[in-house]
């Protein structure tokens, strides 16, 4: 089975998703354990695959036994091996940590919910691992369609509209990407990423290649919610059910950033991407706008999840900006931030889900006295907040360090300034919450469960708490090992031409 | 002028595709009715499908079904005699994807109608503000 | 607002036009897209897979992996509509209409009531009920079986003529939808219940994926049907042809079931009582 590891990471969740549907017709209670077992299997294979990539170098896999470019090939290098582990781990932890929330919201439709959940993860894993530009589109749509459905299940007042707008934007994004692939196919006659890369240099100066490049960037920027195209993101993520936003928010945008890095570096030549096209400067300036805009919008809201989604808009700016700096430190920082931001976002969204489960309110004013009432969850939230601010032993600090040094090396002082500004804003945002949660006493009118008065400790159930605490500890661990991650994994995925 | 006319006539598939993309975008950006936006989305997807399928065309070529009799599989097959099958395969996938997206979009539109009793964005916005 | 939108659209159009001078002419046999990858499929399909229809062999074998996910996409869409719209326990009992067959009197039950779906004397009717739709019903009755037969032919004959699982599945689904439109939703449920439709759609994709998985267990790569030769009999080339047929059946099942289930949920807005 070792030879089939690259395939197993996708095929276990795919087959598992259908088994969940079949199991749901027997009994709804079977769905959760089955989903947990499936995602554990996927995580184990992803870790195994990463180990194999570290030992043997790039792993390729030919589906249906056909050699690319005729068949579809997988290609796993250290960076996407790492992203695969992150996707599987985030999905598993979120699954374990949100069970009570899911049972509260979707008690009568657990089968469809968990099937779509696992299919969403399948789509993301496939996007990361595939080496075929069109296959990527199909998987993108799997992740998107399951995502639309999961988001549309949220708050009936707002979620369907947010979901429909997300469909419009997502479909435009995917169609633009598909058009880009079509233009590439038109001039090269192939769909395999490595084969395209081999044939593009001969077409230097072709208008069609430039058009294809712009379409791919525009499509992916729409999908990841990059600044001027971010309008769908806050609504979609903040009105989604709690268990869904803590799945989609950490993963979807990050995977899209990874896809951008992959396409820009391995399909298009780095020299073409950063040199010929001449869009790098513009993209970095847009990233500056994204960071400033996201941070300022986050200051303007008192809705907890909405604030966190604006922070995501800013974080996407970090990663995109870091990548388009075009130097080794910037790209390493962007890649490292994919991992770190997925973990940080998971941590704060899981914590937000836990608060929501216990107190039923979503405004930051509802968090009063929570340090006393739910000390463990609040502490985990604090770790996540500190990491987003960028306080040293947590992982957020290290990727920001790489991004800032990349910005300095590239002479992009505006980007460095925006990063520092955003750190300050995050400091203000989270300390505002800590203050409310620490100093102001818990007020009773929010007690959704008829809670007893006073400051009695009322911690969330253990099955929510353990994954949350593990995530928070993971943030510190990721921080401690980030040097290793860069030197052993990320460095190898960056083409040698970039200094 | 001659050049332009030749350009126009030999590439009319692309003009149709560009026109459809523009119509689709126009409907999605300007129209305030959600169903019209969904229709625009579908036009956009169809435009991409038209683009791909027209890549596959070859002059004087046949359907990509190899003419063969039993036992005569040995005679040579020339790729130039058959149109390019790959774009057709890709677009079968894209058609299915667009049907799937359309289904989910309509389902959400029904949900929105249930909630607000209207599919006009302005009226929905008003109702959200008043709520 | 309108002018800004118009300008955006024009900008997109101008951007698309920017590339057009380099487009190959319509139907140019020397276009790059026609020269690199696709000739291999046309020239080798017979010796590789014994399937003369190149679209089928590329769809289900060379790029079979895409097709598996395409089937999963449609399955996901079916499930998404179910999850978004289905109302399992209606909070207020909807108004129901019954018709007393011998007298033709219509009963309107506003709330509750434990009258069964239908009995010898009473039949449940839609709120917009057409008393005499003889022509529609008779025509549908004539068309539906032939449409279903044709659908099976399209699935089975995809190797040699245009067709395959998707096309056949859609025709089969359309036949059932025609039945539902011309009769009513409730009598369609008696032919294909919601639960069966979901099971069929999951089972269809599962057939596809587990065929691929079986290839893996037999020692090949995922979906490499050639390794199924010991099970299916014959040489690896014929095994590929049979493998393609097996997955096409799975695709047909899934597409048919999802089409019908989409119709059930969209036409009745998830209530599953009356359709269009």
């Amino acid at each position: 089975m070792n030879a089939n590891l690259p395939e197993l990471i996708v095929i276990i969740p795919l087959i598992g998703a259908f088994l969940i549907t079949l199991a749901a017709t027997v009994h709804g209670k079977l769905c959760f354990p089955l989903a947990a077992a499936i995602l554990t299997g996927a995580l184990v294979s992803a870790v195994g695959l990463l180990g194999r990539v570290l030992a043997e170098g790039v792993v390729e896999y030919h589906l249906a036994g056909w050699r690319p470019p005729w068949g579809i090939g997988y290609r796993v290098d250290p960076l996407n091996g790492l992203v695969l582990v992150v996707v599987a781990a985030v999905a598993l932890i979120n699954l374990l940590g949100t069970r009570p929330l899911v049972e509260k919201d979707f008690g009568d439709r657990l089968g469809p919910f968990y099937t779509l959940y696992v299919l969403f993860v399948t789509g993301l894993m496939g996007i990361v691992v595939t080496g075929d530009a069109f296959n990527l589109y199909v998987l993108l749509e799997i992740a998107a369609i399951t995502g639309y459905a999961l988001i549309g299940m949220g708050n009936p007042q707002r979620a369907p509209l947010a979901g429909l707008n997300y469909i419009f934007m997502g479909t435009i994004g995917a169609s633009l990407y598909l058009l880009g692939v079509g233009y590439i196919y038109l001039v090269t006659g192939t769909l395999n990423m490595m084969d395209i890369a081999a044939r593009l240099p001969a077409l230097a100066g072709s208008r069609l290649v430039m058009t294809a490049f712009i379409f791919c960037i525009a499509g992916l920027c729409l999908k990841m919610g990059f600044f001027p195209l971010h309008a769908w993101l806050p609504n979609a993520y903040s009105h989604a059910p709690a268990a869904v936003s803590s799945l989609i928010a950490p993963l979807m945008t990050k995977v899209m950033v990874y896809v951008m890095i992959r396409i820009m570096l391995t399909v298009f030549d780095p020299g073409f991407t950063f040199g010929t096209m001449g869009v790098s400067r513009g993209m970095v300036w847009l990233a500056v706008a994204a960071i400033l805009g996201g941070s300022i919008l986050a200051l303007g809201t008192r809705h907890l999840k909405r604030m966190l989604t604006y922070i995501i808009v800013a974080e996407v700016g970090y990663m995109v900006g870091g990548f388009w700096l075009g130097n080794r430190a910037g790209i390493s920082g962007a890649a490292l931030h994919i991992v770190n931001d997925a973990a940080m976002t998971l941590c704060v969204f899981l914590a937000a889900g836990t608060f929501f489960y216990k107190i039923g309110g979503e405004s930051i004013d509802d968090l009063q006295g929570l340090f006393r009432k739910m000390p463990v969850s609040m502490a985990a939230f604090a770790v996540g907040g500190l990491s987003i601010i960028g306080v040293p032993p947590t992982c957020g600090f290290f990727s920001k360090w790489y991004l800032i040094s990349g910005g300095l090396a590239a002479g992009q002082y505006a980007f460095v300034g925006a990063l520092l500004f955003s750190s300050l804003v995050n400091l203000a945002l989270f300390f505002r919450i800590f203050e409310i949660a620490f100093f102001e006493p818990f007020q009773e009118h929010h007690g959704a469960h008829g809670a007893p008065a006073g400051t009695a400790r009322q911690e969330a159930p253990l099955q929510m708490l353990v994954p949350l605490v593990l995530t928070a500890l993971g943030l510190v661990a990721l921080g401690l090992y980030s040097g290793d991650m860069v030197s052993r994994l990320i460095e190898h995925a960056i083409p040698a031409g970039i200094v | 002028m001659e050049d332009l006319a030749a350009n126009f006539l030999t590439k009319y598939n692309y003009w149709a595709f560009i026109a459809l993309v523009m119509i689709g975008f126009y409907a999605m950006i300007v129209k305030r009715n959600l169903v019209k936006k969904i229709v625009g989305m579908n036009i956009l997807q169809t435009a991409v499908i038209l683009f791909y399928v027209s890549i596959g065309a070859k002059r004087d070529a046949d359907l990509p079904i190899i003419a063969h009799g039993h036992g005569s599989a040995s005679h040579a097959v020339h790729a130039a005699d058959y149109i390019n099958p790959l774009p057709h395969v890709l677009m079968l996938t894209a058609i299915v994807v667009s049907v799937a997206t359309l289904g989910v979009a309509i389902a959400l539109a029904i949900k929105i109608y249930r909630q607000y009793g209207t599919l006009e964005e302005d009226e929905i916005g008003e109702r959200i503000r008043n709520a | 607002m309108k002018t800004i939108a118009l300008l955006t659209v024009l900008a997109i159009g101008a951007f698309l036009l920017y590339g057009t001078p380099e487009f190959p002419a319509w139907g140019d046999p020397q276009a790059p897209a026609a020269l690199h990858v696709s000739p291999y499929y046309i020239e080798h399909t017979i010796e590789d897979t014994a399937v003369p229809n190149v679209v089928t062999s590329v769809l289900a074998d060379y790029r079979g992996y895409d097709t598996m996910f395409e089937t999963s996409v449609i399955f996901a869409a079916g499930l998404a509509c179910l999850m978004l719209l289905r109302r399992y326990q209606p909070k207020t009992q909807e108004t129901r209409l019954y018709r007393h067959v011998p007298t033709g009197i219509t009963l309107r039950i506003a709330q509750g009531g434990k009258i069964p779906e239908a009995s010898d004397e009473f039949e449940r009717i839609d709120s917009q009920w057409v008393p005499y739709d003889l022509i529609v019903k008779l025509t549908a009755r004539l068309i539906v079986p032939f449409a279903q037969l044709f659908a099976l032919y399209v699935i089975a004959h995809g190797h040699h003529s245009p067709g395959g699982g998707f096309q056949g599945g859609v025709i089969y689904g359309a036949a059932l939808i025609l039945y539902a439109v011309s009769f009513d939703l409730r009598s369609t449920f008696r032919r294909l219940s919601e639960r069966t439709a979901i099971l069929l759609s999951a089972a269809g994709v599962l057939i596809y994926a587990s065929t691929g998985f079986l290839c893996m267990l037999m020692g090949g790569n995922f979906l490499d049907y050639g390794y199924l030769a010991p099970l299916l009999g014959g040489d690896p080339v014929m095994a590929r042809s049979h493998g393609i047929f097996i997955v096409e059946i799975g695709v047909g099942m899934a597409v048919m079931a999802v089409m019908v289930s989409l119709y059930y949920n969209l036409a009745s807005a998830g209530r599953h009582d009356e359709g269009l």
Side-chain angles (χ1 to χ4, degrees), chain C residues 70-144:
Chain C
E70 168 189 4
T71 321
S72 314
V73 166
I74 194 125
F75 169 78
L79 212 59
C81 285
L82 175 90
M83 179 151 124
L84 286 169
L85 289 177
R86 188 79 174 95
R87 292 175 170 177
Y88 287 100
Q89 287 138 345
K91 288 196 185 83
T92 51
Q93 189 74 48
E94 310 273 332
T95 309
R96 287 175 297 168
L97 296 173
Y98 289 89
R99 178 170 169 270
H100 187 229
V101 182
T103 58
I105 295 171
T106 305
L107 289 180
R108 182 188 151 93
I109 296 176
Q111 278 185 343
K114 296 219 167 167
I115 303 175
E117 274 293 281
S119 66
D120 289 342
E121 288 193 20
F122 288 95
E123 64 170 348
R124 188 163 170 207
I125 57 176
D126 288 354
S127 47
Q128 285 178 329
W129 184 66
V130 185
Y132 302 107
D133 49 358
L134 183 72
I135 296 174
V136 174
K137 282 191 176 170
L138 205 62
T139 318
R141 221 184 271 262
L142 274 174
I143 292 176
V144 167

Side-chain angles (χ1 to χ4, degrees), chain B residues 27-127:
Chain B
M28 290 184 78
I29 299 173
V30 174
K31 296 293 173 194
R32 307 295 293 164
N33 180 300
L34 292 176
V35 173
K36 286 182 182 165
K37 284 191 168 197
I38 292 176
V39 173
M41 176 179 90
N42 230 18
I43 294 176
L44 179 65
Q45 287 173 314
T46 313
V48 179
I49 292 171
L50 173 69
F51 169 70
Y52 266 85
V53 169
S54 70
I55 298 176
K58 277 186 209 167
R59 227 174 295 112
D60 304 325
D62 208 349
L63 287 179
I65 297 174
I66 311 296
H68 73 123
H70 281 288
S72 63
S74 55
H75 72 77
V77 176
H78 298 291
D81 295 341
Y82 299 96
I83 60 169
N84 185 350
L86 190 53
H88 294 249
V89 172
L90 303 182
M91 284 311 104
L92 262 170
T93 309
I95 289 170
V96 169
V97 167
S98 78
V99 169
T101 322
L102 184 65
V104 179
I106 292 179
L108 282 171
I110 291 177
K111 245 181 123 95
I112 292 171
Y113 188 77
R114 238 189 233 167
Q115 185 70 37
Y116 299 107
T118 174
L119 286 170
E120 296 291 335
E121 272 191 327
D122 302 332
E123 292 175 23
I124 295 173
E126 220 165 87
R127 258 159 245 206

Side-chain angles (χ1 to χ4, degrees), chain C residues 124-217:
Chain C
R124 188 163 170 207
I125 57 176
D126 288 354
S127 47
Q128 285 178 329
W129 184 66
V130 185
Y132 302 107
D133 49 358
L134 183 72
I135 296 174
V136 174
K137 282 191 176 170
L138 205 62
T139 318
R141 221 184 271 262
L142 274 174
I143 292 176
V144 167
F146 290 104
Q148 289 175 335
L149 205 60
F150 181 65
L152 295 180
Y153 162 77
V154 169
I155 295 178
H157 214 253
H159 283 34
H160 297 275
S161 64
F166 281 104
Q167 297 88 328
V170 168
I171 297 173
Y172 204 105
L176 284 172
I177 292 173
L178 173 66
Y179 182 81
V181 171
S182 54
F183 288 76
D184 56 18
L185 206 55
R186 292 179 303 278
S187 46
T188 320
F189 278 128
R190 286 197 286 278
R191 266 74 180 182
L192 183 70
S193 72
E194 183 199 15
R195 192 183 148 96
T196 323
I198 296 169
L199 280 179
L200 275 179
S201 58
V205 200
L206 204 55
I207 288 178
Y208 205 137
S210 47
T211 308
F213 197 70
L214 196 62
C215 303
M216 221 150 101
L217 293 182

Side-chain angles (χ1 to χ4, degrees), chain A residues 144-432:
Chain A
I145 285 183
T146 47
Y148 303 146
L150 291 173
I151 286 175
M153 285 309 292
N155 162 14
Q157 294 287 333
R158 306 290 300 277
L161 190 60
L164 191 58
N165 280 325
Y166 181 27
I167 290 193
F168 292 145
M169 289 301 146
T171 306
I172 294 182
S175 298
L176 289 180
Y177 173 77
L178 185 60
L179 260 183
V181 173
Y183 274 52
I184 291 174
Y185 177 67
L186 188 74
V187 291
T188 62
T190 182
L191 294 165
N192 182 274
M193 290 185 189
M194 297 313 285
D195 200 32
I196 296 173
R199 295 171 75 86
L200 276 185
L203 295 159
S206 160
R207 284 181 174 194
L208 291 181
V209 177
M210 290 188 191
T211 319
F213 180 86
I214 299 289
F215 276 138
C216 287
I217 293 192
L220 292 173
C221 284
L222 245 176
K223 279 270 182 191
M224 70 177 82
F226 187 52
F227 178 63
L229 308 171
H230 71 285
W232 56 270
L233 190 146
N235 278 331
Y237 288 3
S238 56
H239 297 306
V244 173
S245 42
S246 55
L247 171 73
I248 297 186
L251 292 182
M252 195 68 185
T253 50
K254 259 56 80 180
V255 167
M256 287 302 124
V257 172
Y258 170 72
V259 171
M260 184 187 73
I261 294 182
R262 172 95 178 248
I263 301 242
M264 295 304 147
L265 289 185
T266 61
V267 176
F268 297 101
D269 181 65
F272 178 79
T273 302
F274 298 122
T276 319
M277 284 307 293
V279 293
S280 307
R281 264 202 117 66
M283 291 298 278
V284 175
W285 276 104
L286 279 180
V288 170
I291 297 171
L292 297 182
S295 303
I296 291 168
L297 288 169
L299 270 177
T301 178
R302 294 189 81 79
H303 184 283
L304 177 60
K305 256 162 85 184
R306 206 173 174 77
M307 184 195 99
L308 296 177
T309 57
Y310 283 124
I311 292 179
I312 293 180
V313 173
E315 302 275 340
V316 170
Y318 286 17
M319 290 178 272
V320 177
F323 172 74
W324 286 98
L325 290 174
N327 55 25
R328 206 157 252 279
I331 297 176
S332 307
L336 184 63
H337 204 66
I338 291 178
V339 178
N340 293 348
D341 193 40
M344 288 164 358
T345 316
L346 174 70
C347 183
V348 289
F349 270 89
L350 267 184
T354 313
F355 302 152
F356 178 63
Y357 182 72
K358 264 327 222 194
I359 59 179
E362 292 196 304
S363 162
I364 56 174
D365 300 313
D366 294 332
L367 304 178
Q368 287 165 356
L370 267 196
F371 264 118
R372 230 159 299 159
K373 192 170 153 68
M374 300 170 73
V376 184
S377 340
M378 199 60 211
F381 181 78
V383 175
L386 291 177
S387 180
I388 290 180
I389 297 167
V391 176
T394 56
C395 60
F397 169 75
F398 295 95
S399 42
K400 218 170 255 184
W401 180 261
Y402 278 100
L403 290 171
I404 289 178
S405 51
L408 290 175
Q412 293 278 11
Y413 300 108
F415 182 64
V416 177
L419 281 177
L420 295 175
F421 172 76
S422 143
S423 304
L424 276 178
V425 171
N426 289 344
L427 191 76
L429 286 173
F430 282 100
F431 273 87
R432 186 171 70 177

